[in-house]
Structure formats: C-alpha cells, structure tokens
Amino acid sequence: MRAWDIQASYTSNMKTILRFGLFVFLLLVVAVLVVQVLASRAIDDLLEQAATQQRPLQRWHDSWTELEGGDAFQAMTGGSMLDDENRVPVIFVGNNWQGTITVISLEDYRKLGVIDGIPDKLERLREIDSKFFYRLMFFAIRMAVGEGHDQYVDDMYSSIDGRLLVVSRPSFADVVAINTRTGEIAWRFPVDGRRADHMALSPDGRFVAVSASTADKVHVIEVDTGREHASFPTGDSPHENVYSKDGKHLFHASIGNVFSPLDLAGGGLLKGNRVFQVVNTADYSVELAFDIREKLDAAGLEDLSPAIRPMAHTDDEKNFYFQLSFLHGLVEYDLPNDSITRVIELPKVTTLPRTSYVNDSAHHGLAISGDNRKLCVAGTMDDYVAIVDRETEAYELLPDLGEKPYWAVTSKSGDHCYISWSETDTMSVIDFESATEVVRIDVGDHPQRIREGYLISPVSNP
C-alpha cells in the first residue's frame, strides 16, 4: 500500500472515531438534560406536597390514648411522664420510603407511636433543588437503589439515655439526631458525597459509624454532638458496619456498584472495588483489608460474587458469616486462619432472573443467636426466613409470613430475631429455639433496619 493510501486510511479512521466520540458525548449531554428535567419535576412535586405538610409528624404529641397501644405505654410508665432515669426499652423500625420510624414496646410488642425521620423535609428539598448536581444525584438514588422511591430512613440508633434518635437518610445525604421529646433535629451531619447508608453504634454508645456510599469512606460521628470523630477510606460503595463486642475493632464491607447492569457470575469489572476491612478503633487505621475474591477462589468458589452483604459473627469473633450478592445462602469465613471454610446453601425459590434481584440481593439480612448456635437468614428474593443450625447446617424455613424480608437482627436478649418485610410493610419477631413467629406487627412503608434502643417520653402529658 502506498504512503498516501495509508495516510488516507488513517485520516478516515480518525474521523470515524471522532464522529463516534462526538455522538456518544451528545448522547450523554441529552441524557443528563433529560434526567435534570425529570428530577426538577419530581422535586417540584415533592416541594408542593411538603409545603402543605405540618411537621414533625410524631403521632403521640397530642394524646397517648389516640395511639394504638397507648394504654399499654401509660401502664409501663405509671401513667405519668418519663424522666431521664425512667427509660423505656423499645424497638425502632425504620420505614425507608415513608421517612418515619415506628416505635414498638419491647415488653409486649405493641406500637407506641411514630417518629418523623424527616421533620426538615421542606428545607432539605429546597437545598437539593438549588444545585444541579444535588438534583441529579437525588433522582439517581430514586431510580437506581431506591427502586423508584426516595430513601429517607436507612438506619437508626437511640442514644444510651434515650434522648436522641440518630438517623441516616440516604436521599438527603446526611445523618441527623432527633430529639425524642420534641421531634426536632438536635444536630445534622452532611456526609461526604450524596448518600448515607448503613450505620453501627459503638458498644459504649459514644459513636456511630456511617457509610458514605458515593464518597467511598466511613464517617465516625459523636452521638452527643454530631461532630466527626474520625473517618477511614473504603472500597466502592461502603455498606455494612459492625463493631466488635469490646468496641476495639470495626468490621466493614464495601459492596461495589450494585446498580451496575452487569450481573455476571464473578461480578464484572464495572462492579467496582469490593473489600472487607478490619479497622482499629483506637486510631481508625485499617489493620486488614482484602478482596474476598481471592478467598473464594482458594476455596474453589470461583462462581460466587465477592460482594459481601450483611454479616454476622460469633462472640469470639473467629467465625464470620457473609451473605454475598446473588447467593441463596451464606459463606463461613475463619478470621484467624484467613480462609473460607464452607458454604451453607439454602433453597432458591424465586424464578426471577438475577437482573431483577433488589440491588443484587438474593438474601439480605443475617443474625446470630445469643448462644451462637443458630443463624437467622432473611431470604429476600425467596420470601422466607430460614433458621439455620450452625453445626449441622440443618434449616427450617418460615414461608408465607410476608414478602421481601430485607433485614435481620438479633434481640439484645439473644433469644429472638427481628425481620423486616419490606414489600408487605410488617416486621416479625422470630424465636430462635423453636423457629416460629412470635408476633407480626404492621409498620410503615418499606421497613428496613430494625434496632433495639430506649425512648424518653414526648413533650406533652397524656
């Protein structure tokens, strides 16, 4: 081929590449503009609704007797106001899409009322509406991980004295402390990036660790003041946080980009950097970090995703149990020996393709009994709860209690497992020993996280 032919071919190829690049760029610009228009319309609708709502929405401010279970609460408190020395142990259920927290008596499982998790909704929406990038991310959260809904309450913990309820709010990209007496916000901590996710409360109650999903870091916040105590870098999309029993370590897992459409067996490159970390809480330095991919491969489990979802561990912190994206079951990890020791498989009931799994979660919710004998598994896409014997791997399934269980946590007594049914807006109390449902309670729209804590009375007398 002559030189001028080579040059002509090169020029033609470059023009083709440039045209294709320009076409892709224009498509992206159009897509961003379309999303902006949709986001602006959505926020305008929300602003109109929020402007007519009176907040906070705590239902017990007017009269205890108007509440279902109000008489029980008065009996528990002697018919009088609680004071700082007279805390009531309760269960908090975060209703993510509704932006509320249902409060349930730990004594008899009656509903005591509802705390408004977004009393500042109008102010936050105005802030989001004022910035191009904020609008874009707000709408992206709704359409991706939010399944078409805004995410207002992901996680919550009460302070030890019951005066504050600390709430992570994904769509508002912050953590707030709500005064349980007044329903007003005591402090607000905007996270880095544009989404707040799972939290963990330190055993001494002084700090909450919150995952900043889009910033790839975890903030450690003082419960009393809302000031940042520390932070540490993570993998892509930081997710689960669990403190050790003595509070000296924080166990963290990053799940990668669960909104990515590439649902390959190994996850695919676009799933991002997924790591498990052991963090020393003396200075929040990372003592151990690894991609569990190498552990799975060493155990001959090349077909499993390395994205760790909820986790649980034994009291001695030697054996960890991980749910993984797309896995109907869990894996056991031996921390001292740094190896995957077994897979516990559970029945796959769903017939949906894995692309329809909620944020890649086949199962999302895992808890361990107080005696370390049994595991409680939320079979999210399979619509069951499984109680699994750790030693024998024998399991009992509890189907037909609800749809899309999305969280499991052990009661402080260690005897029960709390399950949220995100699709049917209920929560169940499951007895570990008998593998039976003790009670089922109606809560709010799309319950997720459940936590035990304490409540101090609202501001008014019954």
Side-chain angles (χ1 to χ4, degrees), residues 16 91 218 261:
T16 301
I91 301 168
V218 168

Side-chain angles (χ1 to χ4, degrees), residues 276-292:
F276 175 74
Q277 295 170 295
V278 179
V279 180
N280 187 323
T281 59
D283 57 4
Y284 286 89
S285 61
V286 178
E287 289 188 352
L288 176 67
F290 59 82
D291 183 341
I292 201 172

Side-chain angles (χ1 to χ4, degrees), residues 31 105-106 134 221 230 233 251 259 305 333 356 372 378 404-406 410:
S105 163
L106 188 57
Y134 285 11
I221 307 167
F251 306 107
F259 50 83
S305 166
Y333 171 69
S356 298
N372 290 184
K404 285 190 180 174
Y406 211 68
T410 305

Side-chain angles (χ1 to χ4, degrees), residues 66-364:
E66 291 178 0
L67 294 170
E68 180 181 346
D71 293 339
F73 195 99
Q74 291 187 59
M76 290 163 59
T77 62
S80 62
M81 285 286 292
L82 295 176
D83 57 35
D84 294 353
E85 287 73 42
N86 189 16
R87 303 171 303 166
V88 169
V90 296
I91 301 168
F92 297 104
V93 183
N95 306 305
N96 196 0
W97 296 350
Q98 189 177 53
T100 62
I101 300 98
T102 302
V103 184
I104 299 167
S105 163
L106 188 57
E107 183 179 68
D108 57 10
Y109 302 122
R110 290 198 184 190
K111 287 191 291 186
L112 302 178
V114 177
I115 292 176
D116 186 357
I118 48 173
D120 58 339
K121 181 179 180 180
L122 183 58
E123 180 183 356
R124 297 280 73 79
L125 288 173
R126 285 172 175 165
E127 177 186 53
I128 291 167
D129 194 39
S130 69
K131 297 183 179 181
F132 179 91
F133 180 67
Y134 285 11
R135 289 198 303 271
L136 190 67
M137 289 303 297
F138 183 85
F139 192 71
I141 290 169
R142 171 189 285 192
M143 300 312 296
V145 293
E147 302 175 74
H149 298 265
D150 301 317
Q151 297 189 312
Y152 293 127
V153 174
D154 185 89
D155 210 343
M156 72 264 117
Y157 286 94
S158 71
S159 57
I160 297 297
D161 60 14
R163 297 178 187 176
L164 299 175
L165 183 64
V166 181
V167 183
S168 65
R169 309 188 302 180
S171 288
F172 289 164
D174 64 13
V175 178
V176 296
I178 297 171
N179 186 313
T180 56
R181 289 180 182 274
T182 67
E184 297 176 350
I185 291 178
W187 56 255
R188 176 174 181 260
F189 181 92
V191 300
D192 288 356
R194 291 307 303 163
R195 188 174 183 273
D197 201 23
H198 288 226
M199 296 198 299
L201 180 70
S202 62
D204 60 9
R206 294 175 58 203
F207 308 109
V208 287
V210 59
S211 291
S213 299
T214 63
D216 297 345
K217 73 188 300 184
V218 168
H219 297 283
V220 181
I221 307 167
E222 295 178 0
V223 169
D224 288 342
T225 67
R227 290 193 294 262
E228 184 174 67
H229 172 70
S231 66
F232 61 90
T234 67
D236 292 331
S237 298
H239 189 238
E240 182 75 322
N241 297 296
V242 177
Y243 273 98
S244 62
K245 192 173 183 179
D246 59 11
K248 293 181 178 180
H249 291 93
L250 180 66
F251 306 107
H252 174 79
S254 302
I255 57 174
N257 304 319
V258 296
F259 50 83
S260 166
L262 292 188
D263 297 333
L264 307 175
L269 291 176
L270 292 186
K271 286 300 183 182
N273 182 28
R274 294 158 290 187
V275 296
F276 175 74
Q277 295 170 295
V278 179
V279 180
N280 187 323
T281 59
D283 57 4
Y284 286 89
S285 61
V286 178
E287 289 188 352
L288 176 67
F290 59 82
D291 183 341
I292 201 172
R293 169 81 281 146
E294 59 193 69
K295 317 298 178 187
L296 293 169
D297 290 350
L301 302 170
E302 296 87 352
D303 60 328
L304 295 185
S305 166
I308 297 173
R309 312 313 294 261
M311 68 177 86
H313 61 74
T314 54
D315 285 343
D316 59 11
E317 294 163 12
K318 292 182 178 179
N319 291 318
F320 281 72
Y321 296 89
F322 298 142
Q323 290 176 319
L324 305 177
S325 287
F326 309 117
L327 175 63
H328 298 258
L330 54 140
V331 298
E332 181 183 67
Y333 171 69
D334 184 327
L335 182 61
N337 293 313
D338 191 24
S339 62
I340 300 291
T341 49
R342 57 175 168 162
V343 180
I344 299 176
E345 295 184 356
L346 294 172
K348 178 183 177 182
V349 176
T350 183
T351 57
L352 292 173
R354 59 194 294 151
T355 51
S356 298
Y357 287 13
V358 179
N359 296 322
D360 294 354
S361 301
H363 290 176
H364 191 282

Side-chain angles (χ1 to χ4, degrees), residues 6-20:
I6 295 174
Q7 180 63 37
S9 176
Y10 174 79
T11 302
S12 176
N13 289 338
M14 286 302 298
K15 285 181 178 179
T16 301
I17 292 171
L18 288 172
R19 286 170 183 161
F20 180 74

